Amino acid sequence: MDRKREERHAIAIASNRPFTEWGQTFTDKRLCRAIVDRLTFEAHIIETGIQSFRLASTTAKRKAAAA
């Protein structure tokens, strides 16, 4: 029998929010729990911090343009 997709290939997902805040994006609590459950099953979770380089860069550019 053919193995499932997640058992054959890597999946990378990046988010600026911790899992505890995903309910703000996926407002259906049951759906949110199912998504987090499936993504974290046998996963390697790498936390790089809470600062987003892209957000800081965009904010700085907008402030410079407004000045």
Side-chain angles (χ1 to χ4, degrees), residues 10-55:
I11 299 171
I13 297 175
S15 174
N16 291 337
R17 293 189 183 266
F19 290 123
T20 56
E21 295 179 9
W22 279 31
Q24 296 173 16
T25 302
F26 303 103
T27 55
D28 181 312
K29 289 182 182 183
R30 187 173 168 188
L31 172 63
C32 185
R33 282 192 302 267
I35 290 170
V36 171
D37 179 64
R38 283 161 180 79
L39 289 175
T40 58
F41 179 68
E42 295 189 10
H44 297 278
I45 300 172
I46 302 169
E47 293 187 48
T48 60
I50 59 172
Q51 296 291 347
S52 167
F53 171 78
R54 290 178 191 90
L55 177 59

Side-chain angles (χ1 to χ4, degrees), residues 1-11 38-39 41-43:
M1 183 181 279
D2 192 25
R3 292 183 300 164
K4 296 179 183 176
R5 161 70 169 94
E6 68 268 13
E7 295 174 351
R8 293 183 288 152
H9 301 285
I11 299 171
R38 283 161 180 79
L39 289 175
F41 179 68
E42 295 189 10

